[in-house]
Amino acid sequence: MTTVMVVDDHPMWREAVERDLAARGFEVVATAGDAGAAVRRAQAVRPDVVVMDLQLGAGSGVDATRDVVAALPTTRVLVLSASAEQADVLEAVKAGASGYLVKSASADELADAVTRTAAGDAVFSAGLAGLLLGEYRRLQAGPDDGAPRLTERETEVLKLVSRGLSAKAIAERLVLSHRTVENHVQNTLRKLQLHNRVELTRYAIEHGLADPGDA
C-alpha cells in the first residue's frame, strides 16, 4: 500500500484530500498545515509520496519540498496547487517536485497521479509539461553542445518521458514493446548518469531537449 502525507493550510481541503485518497486505497500516514510541520512529520513517517500545496500561509511549499527531498531521497513530492502559473511550476520542479497537479483535478486524477508519482513517473496536469518545457527552451540560447549524444529514438523517448507519459503509453505511442521502451530509458539514464525518470524529466527541461506539446 502506498503511504501518503497531505500538506495543505486549509483544513477542509486537507481533510477532503485525505478522505479521497483513503477511499481509493492509499494509507494517509500524516497531514500538516504549514511548511515546518510538513518537514518534521515527513521525516518522522517517511511517506512514499507527499501531496504538497504551495501556499502554506506562514511557510512556502517550495521550501518544504526542497527540505523534504533533501532529507528523504526516496520520498517523492507531488504538488497539488490552485496555481497553474509557469513561475510556480518551475520553482516547484527546481525544488525537487516529481510532479504538479492543479486543484481542478478530479479525485480519480489525483489518485492516478499519486500512484504514478510513487512508481517514479513525472506527472503534470494537462498542458503544464508543455508550458514548462517551452519556458526552459526560451531560457536556453540553444541545445547544450556538451550534452551526451543520444540516438534519435532515445531522444524521442526522453521527450515523452518528460511530458509525463508512462512506459506503457510511450510504447503505444511509438508502436514499440514495453521492454524496448524500458531499454531506451535505461540506456538514456546510463548515458546521462541519472537514476530515474524524474531526473530525466529535469534534465530534459534544463537542457531544452524536449519540444513543448500535449501528452
Side-chain angles (χ1 to χ4, degrees):
M1 180 181 291
T2 300
T3 57
V4 183
M5 177 176 171
V6 179
V7 182
D8 196 293
D9 65 335
H10 291 93
M12 289 182 63
W13 184 269
R14 186 170 65 242
E15 291 166 8
V17 171
E18 178 183 8
R19 183 173 60 251
D20 287 341
L21 291 176
R24 286 162 176 79
F26 298 96
E27 182 182 0
V28 180
V29 293
T31 64
D34 61 72
V39 176
R40 292 192 301 273
R41 292 175 190 172
Q43 289 177 306
V45 300
R46 307 179 75 86
D48 297 317
V49 178
V50 175
V51 177
M52 179 80 71
D53 190 15
L54 289 186
Q55 306 301 324
L56 297 177
S60 162
V62 170
D63 290 339
T65 295
R66 185 179 296 109
D67 291 344
V68 167
V69 171
L72 303 169
T74 61
T75 292
R76 304 184 186 281
V77 176
L78 172 65
V79 169
L80 180 63
S81 174
S83 172
E85 294 295 321
Q86 280 185 345
D88 290 332
V89 182
L90 288 167
E91 286 301 310
V93 171
K94 287 192 292 185
S98 295
Y100 194 112
L101 212 60
V102 293
K103 285 186 173 180
S104 57
S106 69
D108 287 339
E109 288 171 332
L110 173 60
D112 179 67
V114 171
T115 297
R116 292 177 58 197
T117 298
D121 289 343
V123 183
F124 294 90
S125 287
L128 290 188
L131 289 174
L132 195 62
L133 294 168
E135 178 65 14
Y136 264 112
R137 203 174 191 195
R138 284 191 290 273
L139 292 174
Q140 294 293 115
D144 185 352
D145 292 334
R149 296 292 181 181
L150 301 177
T151 67
E152 182 177 349
R153 182 63 85 183
E154 287 167 350
T155 301
E156 194 171 15
V157 170
L158 175 58
K159 290 178 181 181
L160 297 176
V161 168
S162 70
R163 293 179 194 171
L165 271 69
S166 65
K168 179 181 178 182
I170 293 172
E172 292 173 353
R173 176 77 65 90
L174 300 181
V175 195
L176 299 171
S177 71
H178 183 277
R179 184 179 183 83
T180 298
V181 171
E182 287 292 353
N183 286 341
H184 285 310
V185 170
Q186 292 304 315
N187 288 340
T188 304
L189 286 169
R190 186 179 65 255
K191 286 183 179 181
L192 302 180
Q193 298 183 357
L194 302 175
H195 302 94
N196 54 52
R197 288 176 175 78
V198 174
E199 292 183 3
L200 276 180
T201 297
R202 292 192 194 117
Y203 182 93
I205 291 168
E206 291 170 359
H207 291 80
L209 296 178
D211 293 323
D214 294 331

